[in-house]
Amino acid sequence: MIEVGINGYGTIGKRVADAVRAQPDMEVVGVAKTRPNFEAQTAVDKDFELYAAIEDRKPQFAEAGIDLAGDVEELVEESDIVVDACPSGIGADNAEMYRKYDTPALLQGGEDADAVDASFNARSNYDTVEGDDLVRVVSCNTTGLSRLVAPLQEAYGIEKVRTTLVRRGGDPAQSGRGPINDILPNPVSLPSHHGPDVNTIFPDLNIDTLGLKVPATLMHTHSVNVTLESEPDAAEVRSLLEDERRTFVIPEWLGLDGAGAIKELAQDAGRPRADIWENCIWGESISMEGDDLYLFQAIHQESDVVPENVDAIRAVLGEASQEESMARTDEAMGLDTPLAQMQ
Ligand code: NAD
């Protein structure tokens, strides 16, 4: 059994904890929290051992009636690997602690690429991170783009990717985030950071990205144009993407006209937290104009990186091949059942 510690039990951390627990070859040692709040209570209700991330705040947990199993350094020492899901920047600050206990760690997409040994996407570069100490599971948007780029590059070759990312202003629980009623070019200057981030996975890829932020919380939407090195027809590209793991090519008849409807389907399907782990690509948007491919995809920012974290654990520890790991992860999470056919 791979013993996994989770440091940071927020949007990403709590989802990764559940996904790790579902794996037949992994166990959650415990989760570290900075303070007793509703998420700490969720961890207690789910029987995760709770560790204090900040020593001085231990009394706050006692006051809230929440028992602690120890502090975060003990969690790190007891774990074979730690998934750090702390807010952006804190993961890099924690790196010294992971080094001190010689425990490899996965950081998240909010960290700088140069803070880690390597960046990771299971479909694209699984085999490159074995034995690394610090690996970054790339952001939700970079994960979504990498899953698209990898099969297109292998099947057709890519001359250039141009993507406009229409990004949600914040997650549903991020009450402090704006914009409230606005549409922001973000960043105004080009390119957005997303293209260079995709280059941490595909160093030679020619990619430009533009970003916008809109007052939505449900999902991101990407408007994608890929100039290919060959000219497949749209049906062929569609079939290629349908055959991929972690892509859901939306059939027209489902009538999913936006992120709201996709989230509703995930709820109806009984997905935990209405999560959508796969890229949602509108089938009818897949179009070819000469060698230019166009499509729209929606990305659930809170959950597409979750299976990637599970695979990164096995990849870093050398515990399974890419195909074995992705298949095991998907089966254990319920991701291998297409979203539209789930009950
Ligand atoms: P979050 O704020 O929802 O959760 C972070 C948790 O870490 C919170 O519970 C916070 O209290 C806790 N925390 C703060 N300081 C800590 C410390 N020193 N030790 C332990 N825990 C601490 O953040 P999130 O959305 O889960 O983001 C985590 C990381 O994942 C970031 O790098 C982010 O960029 C990345 N990410 C987020 C999303 C998303 O849409 N939410 C998507 C992909 C990647």
Side-chain angles (χ1 to χ4, degrees), residues 21-38:
R21 178 180 264 176
Q23 304 304 312
D25 55 344
M26 298 184 190
E27 251 168 25
V28 178
V29 180
V31 306
K33 281 285 306 166
T34 50
R35 63 198 157 101
N37 66 355
F38 75 95

Side-chain angles (χ1 to χ4, degrees), residues 6-14 32-35 37 39 52-54 57 72 84-91 94 97 107-111 137-141 168 170-171 174 220 300-305:
I6 315 278
N7 188 16
Y9 190 76
T11 306
I12 302 299
K14 65 186 176 188
K33 281 285 306 166
T34 50
R35 63 198 157 101
N37 66 355
E39 280 164 334
I54 300 174
R57 299 212 191 140
V72 65
D84 183 301
C86 293
S88 304
I90 294 180
N94 287 335
M97 171 171 66
L107 306 188
Q108 304 303 312
E111 306 299 328
V137 175
V138 290
S139 74
C140 47
N141 282 312
R168 58 85 177 105
D171 293 340
Q174 283 181 303
H220 302 297
H300 186 219
Q301 74 279 356
E302 296 176 287
S303 69
D304 74 330
V305 299

Side-chain angles (χ1 to χ4, degrees), residues 317-331:
L317 298 178
E319 289 287 341
S321 70
Q322 177 192 40
E323 181 47 34
E324 282 165 356
S325 179
M326 291 180 77
R328 203 180 298 164
T329 301
D330 291 359
E331 188 186 351

Side-chain angles (χ1 to χ4, degrees), residues 158-188:
I158 290 180
E159 204 174 292
K160 171 114 189 161
V161 181
R162 300 172 184 83
T163 299
T164 301
L165 300 100
V166 181
R167 299 151 65 203
R168 58 85 177 105
D171 293 340
Q174 283 181 303
S175 52
R177 285 276 190 109
I180 302 297
N181 180 19
D182 209 344
I183 301 171
L184 309 180
N186 182 274
V188 180

